[in-house]
Amino acid sequence: MNKIASILIAALFAIVLLGGFVALLGGSILGGLMFLIGIPFAFPMSTSIVVLFFVVIIFRTLIEKRRQKREMQKYLDDQDT
């Protein structure tokens, strides 16, 4: 009887522990999402500047990639003739 009781107590403890870990992980994810959603409302000007910075970087990278592609295509076309 003691073995059965100890197994049941251990199983219950494991379920509670795993449930706590899941709740902690879920709370962390939910907290992170709330942080990301709340930051633009808390600091609209700073967020706009950061977004603008990344948009400029992405835009310049795309332009550079297209330029490199054009140059490579021109180089390959010159090699063919």
Side-chain angles (χ1 to χ4, degrees), residues 14-72:
I15 291 170
V16 169
L17 208 60
L18 287 174
F21 285 142
V22 169
L24 183 65
L25 180 64
S28 300
I29 293 170
L30 188 62
L33 286 174
M34 288 298 121
F35 177 77
L36 288 176
I37 291 169
I39 285 293
F41 294 107
F43 305 105
M45 188 61 123
S46 300
T47 305
S48 299
I49 291 170
V50 169
V51 168
L52 184 62
F53 175 75
F54 283 112
V55 166
V56 168
I57 288 176
I58 291 168
F59 191 66
R60 289 181 66 190
T61 304
L62 290 175
I63 290 173
E64 181 67 21
K65 293 274 186 194
R66 286 182 183 171
R67 185 187 64 77
Q68 288 176 356
K69 188 176 178 181
R70 279 195 311 268
E71 288 179 358
M72 184 59 72

Side-chain angles (χ1 to χ4, degrees), residues 1-8:
M1 192 64 155
N2 286 339
K3 282 185 177 181
I4 295 173
S6 63
I7 290 172
L8 288 176

